[in-house]
Amino acid sequence: MNIKILTPEYVVFEGEVNSVLLPGKNGEFHIMTNHAGIVSSLIGGNVKIFADSIDEAYAKNFTPTQEGGNGSVFSYPIKSGVVEFNHNKGIILCE
């Protein structure tokens, strides 16, 4: 699935991921391939991307948090935001 993470200043990330874990108002939620369409607000916390690897151009924005059997987990802190996900494409607008 393809995810874009955007702030008002720059593109934090754009690329293929296995899944993404997001800080929602009612708790963290995980979006995986073929997830139903969703629009949700986000609170302060960490956006965690689960991917085999990320492009070096975006790696500077993330903190690697762990490595597992299905690739690595990369974390990016946010203050708030919104996510839209549909048809295996997601856009996360955050600050």
Side-chain angles (χ1 to χ4, degrees):
M1 62 188 215
N2 187 278
I3 294 291
K4 288 183 186 178
I5 302 175
L6 307 171
T7 70
E9 292 83 29
Y10 60 97
V11 176
V12 174
F13 176 80
E14 181 175 0
E16 292 295 316
V17 302
N18 299 326
S19 63
V20 61
L21 183 66
L22 300 163
K25 281 181 102 172
N26 294 322
E28 289 186 324
F29 62 99
H30 210 142
I31 295 178
M32 299 180 179
T33 303
N34 297 324
H35 194 286
I38 186 172
V39 174
S40 179
S41 60
L42 304 174
I43 62 169
N46 289 308
V47 173
K48 294 181 181 176
I49 291 177
F50 295 76
D52 296 329
S53 64
I54 59 175
D55 190 290
E56 288 184 30
Y58 301 122
K60 66 179 185 273
N61 299 322
F62 291 88
T63 303
T65 58
Q66 72 184 44
E67 292 189 28
N70 293 334
S72 298
V73 181
F74 302 91
S75 181
Y76 179 75
I78 66 168
K79 293 180 184 173
S80 64
V82 65
V83 60
E84 178 184 6
F85 184 85
N86 203 11
H87 300 293
N88 287 325
K89 294 181 183 176
I91 298 175
I92 300 165
L93 305 173
C94 59
E95 58 179 339

